[in-house]
Amino acid sequence: MKSKLLIMSMLSLFSFQLINAQETPAPPPPPSVAPPKAPVAPPAPASKEDTTKLNLGNKQIIIIENKEKANAPKEEWEEELDEGLEEMREGLMEARKELEAALKDLRSKGLANEDVEKELKNAEKEIERADREIKRSENKSEKERNQLKLELKLKNQNDENIPPTPEPPKARKKKNKGATVGFIDIDLGLNFFKFGEGISSEMKSDLELKNWNSLSTTLTFLPTKIFLGSPHLMLMTGLSWRIGQFEFKEKLNFAPNQTLVYNKQDNVKESQFMTHYLQVPLSLYVESKKIRGLGKIGMGVGGYAGVLLHHEHELTTTDPNQFIETEEDFGIKNFRYGLTGRIDVGAIKFFGNMDLSDFWTGQDIRNIECGLWFDF
């Protein structure tokens, strides 16, 4: 559009000078084809633009082709280029018509001379040269478009030949285990006697235990956790061997083959019972996820049942200094059952057991034990 305006302004000035020449008696001076020079914008850097310079008389026309158009979308830069070339062609055709009309008018009025015709021919040559540059630009643009089409075609072919990127394998969901079996669980605790209402206060005083010496040790072999649809809810069981130690504060000597028959002797240093039970625990256990800085929190309730395998009475005297171990029947009940509970906070695990059965047959005396438990 700028080229069109420049050519039109040049022709208008040229026609104005020819008309003014009719009023002067002297031969008209050769008309100036080009109007006063207008400031020309500096070309853009060559790395991004291609510049073509045309001389039309004394006027220099600069055609700048922006190479960055190739990076624009295909339809956009082609349409802009076609529109620009079409506008330049239309401007040249109008300028040629204006020159022919001006020359014809001068000849009809007898004002044309050799210098004027020469200038007009030079202007027409410049117009033809500009037309050739436009055609060259069209051919160049056509080559670039064909090259771009070829590159796009090759790119599409390469994309079709490239095998699709395989999707990364999906992480397999971990299946919840039905059960796990450990090696051994150990319960370490202390024994206490709980006396019923039918026990006299004298017997309660006689049978009072040295609690720190009355130890309870339970070994649970192959502890099994049966998960109930979740890794946090389970049944806990196994096969347990329970060893109980009951040491009395009083100096008691128990009579064998009788139930809870004893007498006090001054020379008794220690008097205690040792019991061995084979039992099966069963608990419903709930465990949380790991809590930062605390670990897992768990809680379980359940019960146990067992059978007495062996029991004995151990007596140590001071005069004479001797140890007497009696493996006879002292009336300790053959079956044991009760309730159990567990509370775990991180690595610290507590347990408590309470017998529902009597310790001695026919006597309302029950055993309670509590302490710590460890799993391996």
Side-chain angles (χ1 to χ4, degrees):
M1 183 62 72
K2 291 182 179 180
S3 302
K4 180 179 177 181
L5 293 175
L6 290 174
I7 295 172
M8 294 300 294
S9 61
M10 176 192 67
L11 296 175
S12 299
L13 180 60
F14 177 70
S15 301
F16 176 75
Q17 289 179 351
L18 291 177
I19 294 171
N20 289 340
Q22 296 178 5
E23 300 178 359
T24 57
S32 176
V33 177
K37 293 184 178 180
V40 179
S47 60
K48 294 183 179 180
E49 296 178 344
D50 190 6
T51 304
T52 303
K53 297 181 179 180
L54 301 177
N55 294 320
L56 188 58
N58 294 329
K59 179 64 181 177
Q60 187 180 65
I61 300 174
I62 299 175
I63 301 174
I64 300 175
E65 298 177 5
N66 194 343
K67 291 183 178 179
E68 291 183 348
K69 296 289 185 181
N71 296 327
K74 178 182 176 184
E75 294 80 3
E76 181 181 347
W77 70 264
E78 283 187 351
E79 289 177 1
E80 290 182 3
L81 180 60
D82 292 340
E83 289 177 2
L85 294 176
E86 187 64 27
E87 289 179 1
M88 293 176 65
R89 181 177 288 102
E90 290 177 359
L92 290 176
M93 292 176 66
E94 291 180 7
R96 183 179 285 107
K97 290 178 181 179
E98 292 289 340
L99 285 176
E100 291 176 355
L103 183 59
K104 184 177 180 181
D105 184 62
L106 289 175
R107 287 175 180 172
S108 64
K109 294 178 180 180
L111 297 177
N113 57 31
E114 184 178 353
D115 293 334
V116 174
E117 291 185 1
K118 184 177 180 181
E119 289 294 332
L120 291 175
K121 288 180 180 180
N122 290 336
E124 188 174 7
K125 289 180 180 180
E126 290 296 334
I127 291 174
E128 292 176 355
R129 181 173 177 270
D131 188 36
R132 288 194 300 271
E133 291 293 337
I134 291 174
K135 290 181 179 179
R136 186 183 65 83
S137 297
E138 285 181 343
N139 294 334
K140 182 178 180 182
S141 299
E142 186 66 26
K143 291 180 179 179
E144 291 178 352
R145 279 181 287 204
N146 292 336
Q147 180 66 23
L148 181 60
K149 290 178 182 178
L150 180 60
E151 291 177 358
L152 290 173
K153 184 177 180 181
L154 291 175
K155 183 179 182 300
N156 292 334
Q157 290 178 353
N158 291 335
D159 291 343
E160 292 176 358
N161 294 331
I162 295 175
T165 303
E167 296 182 359
K170 295 181 180 179
R172 294 183 178 178
K173 295 183 180 180
K174 293 184 178 179
K175 295 182 179 180
N176 293 332
K177 295 181 179 179
T180 61
V181 180
F183 174 62
I184 190 172
D185 287 355
I186 300 176
D187 295 353
L188 297 178
L190 302 177
N191 288 312
F192 302 85
F193 276 154
K194 179 179 179 298
F195 300 98
E197 295 180 356
I199 305 302
S200 64
S201 57
E202 182 181 359
M203 183 174 288
K204 291 179 182 178
S205 176
D206 292 342
L207 298 179
E208 188 176 355
L209 298 176
K210 293 182 180 179
N211 298 118
W212 289 105
N213 293 342
S214 300
L215 303 179
S216 172
T217 304
T218 302
L219 306 177
T220 302
F221 301 97
L222 303 177
T224 303
K225 297 178 180 179
I226 303 172
F227 298 102
L228 303 177
S230 169
H232 306 291
L233 180 63
M234 65 199 79
L235 286 174
M236 297 176 61
T237 186
L239 184 63
S240 301
W241 182 280
R242 191 249 183 176
I243 303 172
Q245 181 178 347
F246 304 86
E247 184 174 343
F248 302 96
K249 290 182 178 180
E250 294 294 335
K251 301 176 180 181
L252 304 178
N253 187 9
F254 289 84
N257 300 316
Q258 300 185 59
T259 302
L260 203 58
V261 176
Y262 61 87
N263 57 65
K264 297 180 181 179
Q265 295 181 358
D266 293 336
N267 65 338
V268 174
K269 186 177 181 180
E270 291 181 359
S271 177
Q272 66 178 11
F273 281 104
M274 296 290 296
T275 61
H276 297 262
Y277 285 89
L278 181 65
Q279 58 190 33
V280 177
L282 181 64
S283 300
L284 179 64
Y285 187 79
V286 180
E287 186 178 53
S288 71
K289 295 181 179 179
K290 278 188 177 181
I291 301 173
R292 187 174 181 181
L294 190 62
K296 295 181 179 180
I297 296 179
M299 182 176 65
V301 292
Y304 55 88
V307 60
L308 180 65
L309 299 179
H310 174 76
H311 73 283
E312 61 187 35
H313 179 251
E314 295 177 356
L315 185 67
T316 303
T317 62
T318 58
D319 186 26
N321 190 7
Q322 60 183 353
F323 173 77
I324 302 172
E325 182 178 305
T326 305
E327 298 181 0
E328 298 288 346
D329 183 11
F330 290 90
I332 295 176
K333 200 166 185 178
N334 291 327
F335 298 98
R336 177 179 185 250
Y337 56 89
L339 301 177
T340 183
R342 297 177 184 271
I343 297 177
D344 309 334
V345 180
I348 303 175
K349 303 173 184 290
F350 300 94
F351 81 95
N353 295 331
M354 183 179 70
D355 287 353
L356 298 179
S357 58
D358 298 333
F359 186 77
W360 280 282
T361 302
Q363 302 293 329
D364 192 8
I365 301 174
R366 300 178 182 180
N367 177 218
I368 296 175
E369 57 183 325
C370 59
L372 301 176
W373 71 284
F374 308 90
D375 56 343
F376 300 95

